[in-house]
Amino acid sequence: MRTSLPRSLVLGGAIATSLCVGYALGAQPHMDQAIAILQSARVELAKAEPNKGGHRERALGLIDQAVAEVRAGITFAATH
């Protein structure tokens, strides 16, 4: 299917605008990435042997706390 240049420009402009609007309305790519990294770390810690004198378990709890704080920051940013 062949698309005319003006139609392509309009479509491209619409896509770019929607991305900018989405970002302005609260996209938090760095915060989202932080959550993903924290969740990955939690998975790895959960796989580790629980022979760390309770430090592994405390680390798991701190990761859960960190994820909650990052989510709270995202929520705060979306409402202010």
Side-chain angles (χ1 to χ4, degrees), residues 48-61:
E49 294 293 324
N51 61 353
K52 314 293 187 279
H55 295 285
R56 175 185 155 274
E57 290 75 16
R58 281 191 288 280
L60 288 167

Side-chain angles (χ1 to χ4, degrees), residues 10-67:
V10 169
L11 180 59
I15 291 170
T17 300
S18 68
L19 290 173
C20 291
V21 168
Y23 189 79
L25 291 177
Q28 296 284 330
H30 298 293
M31 299 291 270
D32 292 336
Q33 186 63 30
I35 289 173
I37 291 167
L38 286 164
Q39 289 172 334
S40 178
R42 191 181 199 298
V43 166
E44 293 303 318
L45 276 171
K47 291 177 186 177
E49 294 293 324
N51 61 353
K52 314 293 187 279
H55 295 285
R56 175 185 155 274
E57 290 75 16
R58 281 191 288 280
L60 288 167
L62 289 169
I63 288 174
D64 292 341
Q65 187 177 353
V67 168

